[in-house]
Amino acid sequence: RSYRHAMNVIENAIEWLKEQRQYTKMCITAAADYIALNIVVVVSYMLRVSDFALPPTDKFPVYFIAPLLTVVASLLVGVYQAAARGYSSAIEKKIVTALTLSVMAWVIILFSSGLTGFARSVVIIYLIFATLIMIAIRRFAAMIFNDKTSYIPRRAQIPLLIYGAGRHGQVIAQTLLSQGRYRPVAFIDNDPTMAGRMVSGLRVHPIEDAVDLVNRHGPQEAIVAQPGLNRGSRRQIVEQLVASGLLVKIAPDLDDIINNNVTVGEIRPIRVEDLLGRDSVPPDQSLMHIAIANQVVMVTGAGGSIGSELVRQACSAAPRKLVLVENNEFALFEIRREMERKLEGGTGPEIVAILADVQDESRMTGIMALHHVDIVFHAAAYKHVRLVQENAAAGIRNNCFGTEALARAAVENKVKRFVLISTDKAVRPTSIMGASKRLAEMIVQAIADEVHHETIFSIVRFGNVLGSTGSVVPIFRQQINSGGPVLVTHPEVTRYFMLIPEAAQLVIQASALGTGGEVYVLDMGEPIKIVSLAQTMIEIAGLKQRTTDNPEGDIEIKFSGLVEGEKLYEELQIGRDVSNTAHPRIMKCREFMLDKGELDNKFLLPLREATDDDMMKELVMFAAALA
């Protein structure tokens, strides 16, 4: 019973230590070092004089200054900045450096003091035993802080390759070695000067040796640990590693590893978002500031893929208040909860969540008046081509009349800026969704052209965003997880893709450029074949495509045919009158428009009076075709 009680006390103490902040752990480790090093001084003296005796009391200060010097030197060289879980051979080098410096300082003090009768060989004995004891303390700490993963036997560890033999890769290797679950067997690096070298105890190989390394050491996984790779280079590397039969993962940032003590769970599988699209550029902070800082920002569709990212990006640009408008209760709940968690315990904008429909003009007017809104980002829309095609009336009312109601409310409340989020499907549309978005653009252009208001209207048009709700990426991922097949509509269909955070940043920056009625087009890079996207997703999942040439493959790709309204390829501008702006990734277009009176008489009034879907479809397609 006493033994069990003692073990419970020890386990509780270990759990308490694990929960402590980095600074507390540093202090505890330094205290443990200081106590242990004082014992080392006594043991060193005993070994020198071959007797169980303490140093003479009159010489205590000179003997026992050594532990203090060692703790100070360890602090200066960064020994205590390493958390117990992050223990590695690099920490051992720092310990040796700290001890060398402290012993040199000790010797200087001894000689400068003119002390006689001091057993100087104690210094050498101290250096040896202090090194051993400090390393032992850290290895023990690494063991208890690592949830016993250090006890995993070698045969149960997962062998893997690490791409990138630089500092990032070395830290990853040392961290994984200390955690025990993974066993790095070699580095891969395309730098020819690194080939054949030993780094952190592992040999560096060119990527061409990957197949041989798989055959020799049996790794099933590879981690990409080289920061600064552009997407093209990263994709090429991943393709080569995948072709060698490896499941590829990607390492977190080096700062995260050092500051947050990276765990195995934070080394994630590589995603298609890491490989596709073109490299983003940092946002122009001056434009972000002009658009958002100290403003009351209203985002409609705030719970959607684009809307929620606009909220996140806006929140980081110091607005005075964020007004989140959404007609989906759960989506609104989630984005408000996320924002409240983000701002918990700190300062930030007031978050207001409003469950409302943008088609309700009086409600929108009241919301803008109550909160004194400065800028509106209108991201609320029905966007799924097939669903809107089958529910035309609902799609047209939401996308067109909702936009008109919101724009009118903005004018009435003298909102400074209004930004419509549009889509490449609005360019020469073949679907009701695309046509309804083009008509929404024409509505905004027409209202912007009216002279009796103060609101600056602009439109931002871009293509698909990777990973948005209901888009092709999560659908493909679900089909792959279910064992396939992956359904692609046509072998030649292509789409533009962009990462959601960059799209939101560019939208905010474009809003600061507007002077009235412009259509801004975002640089989406090169279009991507959807079938290539499917093949890439199958490969990075560690699977093989099943084809006639490879009937033993895991996942089949099937072609289901284009759905009604779907195009083989998308475009971003209607005409050729395109000019650059102050931002390299934002272009401005001049496109066809109707004045508000003509637009009302020819299309909006007939649409309101239409009695069936077919009539509404015909009107909205005709309106979009005028452009």
Side-chain angles (χ1 to χ4, degrees), residues 232-293:
S233 299
R234 187 185 293 153
R235 181 171 186 175
Q236 185 179 14
I237 290 162
V238 169
E239 286 174 349
Q240 289 179 276
L241 294 173
V242 166
S244 303
L246 294 160
L247 179 65
V248 182
K249 296 186 175 181
I250 193 163
D253 292 337
L254 189 58
D255 288 343
D256 293 336
I257 300 169
I258 294 171
N259 297 329
N260 299 322
N261 310 313
V262 64
T263 64
V264 171
E266 290 170 304
I267 296 174
R268 61 170 175 80
I270 200 156
R271 299 188 293 250
V272 69
E273 292 91 330
D274 299 314
L275 306 177
L276 297 183
R278 48 103 179 97
D279 295 301
S280 59
V281 296
D284 183 331
Q285 294 300 331
S286 64
L287 291 177
M288 297 286 284
H289 181 83
I290 291 169
I292 300 296

Side-chain angles (χ1 to χ4, degrees), residues 45 48 59 62-63 106 110 115-123:
Y45 180 80
R48 170 62 182 83
K59 296 183 176 66
V62 180
Y63 275 100
W106 192 17
L110 287 174
L115 184 69
T116 59
F118 181 85
R120 287 177 172 81
S121 56
V122 169
V123 173

Side-chain angles (χ1 to χ4, degrees), residues 466-480:
L466 285 166
S468 64
T469 306
S471 70
V472 69
V473 170
I475 291 172
F476 283 177
R477 189 173 287 133
Q478 183 181 31
Q479 290 171 347
I480 291 168

Side-chain angles (χ1 to χ4, degrees), residues 106-333:
W106 192 17
V107 169
I108 292 170
I109 291 171
L110 287 174
F111 279 102
S112 63
S113 66
L115 184 69
T116 59
F118 181 85
R120 287 177 172 81
S121 56
V122 169
V123 173
I124 304 301
I125 301 171
Y126 172 83
L127 178 62
I128 295 170
F129 277 88
T131 302
L132 294 175
I133 196 70
M134 288 184 72
I135 290 174
I137 288 172
R138 275 146 190 82
R139 288 194 172 182
F140 177 73
M143 187 169 61
I144 65 171
F145 285 141
N146 198 39
D147 297 324
K148 301 182 178 60
T149 53
S150 296
Y151 293 114
I152 296 176
R154 181 182 175 88
R155 65 179 179 276
Q157 293 176 333
I158 301 170
L160 85 163
L161 301 174
I162 298 177
Y163 183 92
R167 182 169 177 245
H168 198 167
Q170 292 173 45
V171 173
I172 286 291
Q174 292 157 3
T175 303
L176 293 179
L177 281 169
S178 71
Q179 292 178 350
R181 180 181 172 187
Y182 285 94
R183 177 168 51 86
V185 295
F187 281 110
I188 291 177
D189 202 297
N190 276 339
D191 183 351
T193 64
M194 297 291 291
R197 292 174 56 181
M198 294 294 292
V199 175
S200 296
L202 301 174
R203 189 167 296 281
V204 182
H205 297 262
I207 199 166
E208 291 75 19
D209 289 355
V211 174
D212 180 56
L213 291 169
V214 169
N215 294 333
R216 195 188 320 163
H217 299 289
Q220 300 172 342
E221 299 181 12
I223 293 176
V224 177
Q226 185 166 318
L229 287 171
N230 60 48
R231 282 194 174 82
S233 299
R234 187 185 293 153
R235 181 171 186 175
Q236 185 179 14
I237 290 162
V238 169
E239 286 174 349
Q240 289 179 276
L241 294 173
V242 166
S244 303
L246 294 160
L247 179 65
V248 182
K249 296 186 175 181
I250 193 163
D253 292 337
L254 189 58
D255 288 343
D256 293 336
I257 300 169
I258 294 171
N259 297 329
N260 299 322
N261 310 313
V262 64
T263 64
V264 171
E266 290 170 304
I267 296 174
R268 61 170 175 80
I270 200 156
R271 299 188 293 250
V272 69
E273 292 91 330
D274 299 314
L275 306 177
L276 297 183
R278 48 103 179 97
D279 295 301
S280 59
V281 296
D284 183 331
Q285 294 300 331
S286 64
L287 291 177
M288 297 286 284
H289 181 83
I290 291 169
I292 300 296
N294 203 35
Q295 304 292 303
V296 177
V297 180
M298 175 173 166
V299 180
T300 69
S305 302
I306 295 296
S308 61
E309 189 61 32
L310 282 169
V311 171
R312 295 182 193 101
Q313 297 292 339
C315 186
S316 301
R320 189 163 71 254
K321 183 189 292 187
L322 279 172
V323 180
L324 318 182
V325 176
E326 174 61 65
N327 69 354
N328 181 303
E329 180 187 27
F330 181 71
L332 183 62
F333 168 78

Side-chain angles (χ1 to χ4, degrees), residues 409-421:
V411 169
E412 185 171 337
N413 283 281
K414 298 182 180 179
V415 169
K416 295 176 186 175
R417 294 179 183 272
F418 180 104
V419 183
L420 169 66
I421 311 301

Side-chain angles (χ1 to χ4, degrees), residues 392 396 432 603 607 612-625:
I396 292 166
I432 297 301
F603 300 110
L607 270 173
D612 59 59
D613 277 17
D614 288 339
M615 187 180 297
M616 294 184 78
K617 284 182 178 181
E618 186 177 338
L619 281 166
V620 79
M621 291 300 294
F622 180 60

